[in-house]
Amino acid sequence: MVQKLTSTQTELTPEQEALCDEVVREYIDDLPVARPVDLTKVKVWLDIVYAMYGLETPRIDVVQSPEAACERASSLTGQAQTELDWVGVGDGGWISFYDYFERVKVLTHDENADVQALKDYGRVAWDSILLDECAIVVARPIALKVDEAGNLHSATGPCIEWGDGERDFAWHGTWMPERAITAPRTYTREEYLAITNTEERRALGEIAGWDWIVELLGSTTIDTWCDPNTGLNYELSRCANDGPTLLRKQSPPLKDGSQPWYSEPVHENLLTAQAARKWQATSLSPEECEREPALQFDVES
Amino acid sequence: MKRLDQVGVRVRARVLDRVWGRVWDRVWGRAAARVRVRVRDRVWARVWDRVWDRVWGRAAARVRVRVQARGTK
């Protein structure tokens, strides 16, 4: 039994700290669980919401994907609907937060009853589009895969599949085209360089392997540099056949402790990795950056 | 038929924000003045970072963003 959190406490106890992890794990572990829509629990929640509008809960239509919900709502309203209500599984952050405070007895169960109804709803449905005469409820996906941190992720196939066949692909939370996951090494040099989304390009480098990317681009490392202040590494490379000059740089540690690498095009006149870093962070010319490559205090973005 | 106006906003205001005020008052508002900063940083913010931040923004929130970006086919 976890100790009650009191107003005289200035730190969480070790048990209360451990409960944080327990609650988080419970919510993240529940994300991939496929469950059929339970209309009894759905109705409990919808009664609360419709009462806010002074309405009775109307007929409930269950659809199998967010796209299907948007289509149904567009058809029923006669207007293009492209957003869900943003109420359901996506509220997990808030629900888990209040769930924690209920478990440490800051809240009573009755005080947290509506939040618990929302939690129960999210366990059997994904989200909704509510109309005055019809509640469109989206069923949970039939398959959902996440990494250890809870980000959508699958290294071998779709990360999410809906009951009507809709599916999507992601690499540690970054949306990817299907081909990048299932056949990453089929990309041509031109296709790789045409990717403008830095996160997508980084993810493809991780999936296909940075060595393979270097070989694909025919790039040669012309300079490396380690920032003595941060310990972060930078690599400047030139691609063959008048290809771009790329700065490959290491991210500062993220919350999960990882330090992913990013590869971004920089000006072809740059000669050193340190100057390329400065060129990215300032509006100075390549020549000015090469002359004085150290970043001034307060300048780096 | 008509879409209900701003369901997400209303749910946050009528359900989630109400609980927020109650919890905030009990955890932080009743702390003695001399330790309030410490309670805010080491209790309230700690639970915020360790629970809310780690669950929010994971799979479900990302799917929402994806749906918005794709729109209706």
Side-chain angles (χ1 to χ4, degrees):
Chain A
M1 179 66 86
V2 176
Q3 187 188 344
K4 181 179 179 179
L5 180 68
T6 67
S7 60
T8 57
Q9 265 184 256
T10 55
E11 290 195 37
L12 296 176
T13 66
E15 291 77 19
Q16 289 165 345
E17 285 276 355
L19 181 63
C20 290
D21 294 336
E22 194 181 309
V23 171
V24 168
R25 185 45 50 203
E26 183 186 306
Y27 277 78
I28 289 180
D29 284 352
D30 188 69
L31 284 171
V33 178
R35 290 194 196 90
V37 173
D38 178 337
L39 286 176
T40 308
K41 287 179 178 165
V42 166
K43 180 126 186 344
V44 170
W45 171 248
L46 293 182
D47 284 348
I48 293 170
V49 180
Y50 275 93
M52 292 176 193
Y53 292 85
L55 297 171
E56 295 281 322
T57 299
R59 81 164 201 261
I60 300 170
D61 280 6
V62 176
V63 295
Q64 295 301 315
S65 71
E67 283 78 10
C70 291
E71 276 182 24
R72 179 72 58 90
S74 301
S75 160
L76 291 174
T77 61
Q79 294 177 319
Q81 302 292 340
T82 58
E83 287 185 35
L84 301 180
D85 284 334
W86 292 43
V87 176
V89 179
D91 289 302
W94 291 109
I95 300 166
S96 58
F97 187 63
Y98 297 135
D99 202 349
Y100 179 87
F101 284 111
E102 185 180 327
R103 293 189 206 192
V104 293
K105 301 180 181 64
V106 169
L107 290 170
T108 67
H109 186 72
D110 285 349
E111 287 170 334
N112 204 29
D114 286 356
V115 176
Q116 290 293 344
L118 177 55
K119 175 184 175 180
D120 291 344
Y121 169 76
R123 294 283 157 102
V124 296
W126 187 263
D127 205 319
S128 62
I129 298 181
L130 303 186
L131 311 178
D132 52 357
E133 295 173 38
C134 177
I136 302 167
V137 172
V138 183
R140 285 173 69 108
I142 56 172
L144 187 149
K145 294 172 183 164
V146 295
D147 60 16
E148 186 62 21
N151 296 302
L152 283 165
H153 172 75
S154 172
T156 55
C159 63
I160 187 162
E161 291 182 82
W162 300 92
D164 58 2
E166 286 285 344
R167 56 189 204 156
D168 269 310
F169 297 78
W171 178 262
H172 295 295
T174 299
W175 294 113
M176 301 297 289
E178 177 175 356
R179 181 178 164 207
I181 298 291
T182 57
R185 293 194 172 189
T186 62
Y187 274 72
T188 64
R189 182 174 185 272
E190 289 68 33
E191 287 171 334
Y192 176 79
L193 292 172
I195 299 171
T196 54
N197 182 321
T198 298
E199 288 294 339
E200 190 178 318
R201 187 183 284 204
R202 170 193 58 77
L204 182 57
E206 290 177 6
I207 298 166
W210 283 110
D211 290 347
W212 184 82
I213 297 290
V214 167
E215 194 179 321
L216 175 73
L217 300 176
S219 63
T220 309
T221 301
I222 55 175
D223 189 45
T224 61
W225 179 65
C226 178
D227 185 338
N229 296 319
T230 62
L232 301 178
N233 292 295
Y234 297 81
E235 271 180 32
L236 189 67
S237 59
R238 197 93 67 203
C239 296
N241 303 322
D242 292 330
T245 300
L246 299 173
L247 179 64
R248 191 165 166 254
K249 56 186 186 179
Q250 192 178 23
S251 160
L254 304 180
K255 277 188 174 179
D256 64 5
S258 66
Q259 288 187 266
W261 286 82
Y262 291 83
S263 187
E264 294 172 345
V266 292
H267 199 287
E268 65 271 18
N269 289 352
L270 289 160
L271 301 171
T272 64
Q274 187 181 10
R277 195 274 297 257
K278 182 168 186 174
W279 180 81
Q280 280 199 315
T282 66
S283 55
L284 299 173
S285 69
E287 292 71 24
E288 289 170 320
C289 293
E290 290 292 350
R291 269 200 302 277
E292 182 49 70
L295 272 171
Q296 302 295 313
F297 176 73
D298 212 18
V299 169
E300 187 173 14
S301 57
Chain B
M1 286 189 212
K2 281 188 193 166
R3 188 165 183 165
L4 299 192
D5 186 42
Q6 298 198 312
V7 174
V9 173
R10 198 170 289 207
V11 165
R12 263 163 278 289
R14 301 270 186 93
V15 176
L16 300 172
D17 289 357
R18 279 187 184 176
V19 183
W20 169 278
R22 195 171 278 146
V23 176
W24 176 258
D25 177 58
R26 288 176 190 171
V27 174
W28 188 83
R30 294 181 193 173
R34 64 186 169 77
V35 293
R36 275 194 165 188
V37 173
R38 206 174 152 96
V39 171
R40 186 195 64 201
D41 293 347
R42 299 199 183 181
V43 178
W44 177 266
R46 182 84 179 145
V47 179
W48 181 264
D49 286 347
R50 301 263 294 165
V51 179
W52 186 92
D53 194 49
R54 288 160 73 194
V55 177
W56 185 87
R58 299 303 176 194
R62 288 175 191 274
V63 171
R64 289 200 301 220
V65 173
R66 179 69 157 185
V67 171
Q68 266 192 291
R70 291 165 71 174
T72 307
K73 288 180 178 171

